[in-house]
Amino acid sequence: EVSTEDPETAFCTLANREDLNPEEGSIHHCLYQFTRNEKLTGTNKLLCDVCTQRHYGPKKNTKSEKKYVYTNAKKQMLISLAPPILTLHLKRFQQAGFNLRKVNRHIKFPEVIDLAPFCTAKCKNVAEGNTKVLYSLYGVVEHSGTMRSGHYTAYAKMRSMNNHLSDLVLRGQSPQALETEPVKGQWFHISDTHVQPVSASKVLSSQAYLLFYERLL
């Protein structure tokens, strides 16, 4: 969604991004980099309809060549609608000459993540005054092997359904008590037909390829 807003508020977020100071090699750092301000200059300048009309006058329905005005601009991608389920897909490959190479680096990810520093200040389904948008981890997909072959396994948390909390989230309302702890439950490792219980620390040390979070607040 492309929006035109007051420049003073267009790049504001629910929580101050500068206070985040994300650790390199973490999912917070990935999100911080993905949602950073970009300057559009040179060949990346933005075509400005307002500037064009101001310089050349109103657009006419003629076959004559139309001239346009391009201007320097800033661009930032932020979340405008917090989803009930957050899916994060990590890029696990990089170009190496004419070949693709798998990235095996471990990316740190938490059991509870706050998306507020990456949400627009006018996020549509966040209650006014809220400065936190919390999600709890419930699933991880991991890949072992190379770009040519390998094996997918998964970690999943078995937990009880909280219907009251789900209804509040879907209606864009907030619980009375701030929930900062992950949803309680038992983690399991699934590999084909083999399923075994594992600890949360085992899950957090995995080489995540896909991360699945459910909204808490």
Side-chain angles (χ1 to χ4, degrees):
E1 177 180 326
V2 179
S3 60
T4 303
E5 297 183 12
D6 184 342
E8 295 297 323
T9 59
F11 299 96
C12 293
T13 51
L14 282 174
N16 192 347
R17 292 168 56 84
E18 304 311 316
D19 293 339
L20 190 59
N21 192 25
E23 179 184 359
E24 189 172 352
S26 68
I27 201 70
H28 286 97
H29 187 261
C30 294
L31 289 168
Y32 186 88
Q33 290 294 100
F34 188 77
T35 58
R36 72 186 188 280
N37 275 338
E38 296 179 57
K39 293 182 179 180
L40 305 179
T41 60
T43 57
N44 292 322
K45 283 185 178 181
L46 187 71
L47 190 158
C48 178
D49 290 330
V50 175
C51 302
T52 299
Q53 289 189 22
R54 186 181 299 146
H55 191 80
Y56 293 107
K59 185 175 180 180
K60 298 179 180 179
N61 296 322
T62 63
K63 295 183 179 180
S64 60
E65 183 179 352
K66 178 67 178 178
K67 294 182 179 180
Y68 298 97
V69 174
Y70 293 82
T71 182
N72 293 332
K74 284 199 304 181
K75 181 183 79 171
Q76 185 178 29
M77 290 189 291
L78 296 171
I79 298 168
S80 62
L81 185 70
I85 299 297
L86 173 68
T87 304
L88 298 177
H89 183 184
L90 279 70
K91 182 180 176 182
R92 283 280 178 196
F93 65 90
Q94 65 183 25
Q95 193 78 29
F98 294 101
N99 299 315
L100 290 177
R101 182 172 60 191
K102 184 183 175 187
V103 177
N104 292 310
R105 181 181 182 182
H106 175 67
I107 300 297
K108 295 181 181 179
F109 55 94
E111 280 197 83
V112 173
I113 189 169
D114 184 6
L115 281 192
F118 318 110
C119 291
T120 174
K122 297 180 180 179
C123 200
K124 296 173 184 175
N125 58 344
V126 175
E128 187 175 353
N130 270 17
T131 57
K132 288 185 178 293
V133 184
L134 301 180
Y135 287 81
S136 178
L137 183 71
Y138 74 90
V140 179
V141 173
E142 184 178 38
H143 178 267
S144 58
T146 65
M147 291 292 296
R148 295 183 178 274
S149 64
H151 181 58
Y152 289 97
T153 60
Y155 294 92
K157 179 187 278 189
M158 186 178 72
R159 71 263 190 249
S160 58
M161 182 69 175
N162 188 332
N163 292 320
H164 175 63
L165 186 59
S166 298
D167 290 342
L168 288 175
V169 168
L170 291 174
R171 291 200 303 265
Q173 299 177 8
S174 301
Q176 294 299 316
L178 181 63
E179 301 197 26
T180 57
E181 296 297 325
V183 176
K184 293 181 179 180
Q186 173 64 55
W187 281 100
F188 290 90
H189 183 231
I190 302 104
S191 178
D192 294 333
T193 59
H194 301 283
V195 180
Q196 62 178 4
V198 294
S199 64
S201 60
K202 172 69 174 176
V203 177
L204 297 178
S205 65
S206 65
Q207 191 184 104
Y209 180 56
L210 290 167
L211 296 169
F212 298 91
Y213 287 86
E214 59 185 336
R215 189 171 171 188
L216 287 176
L217 179 64

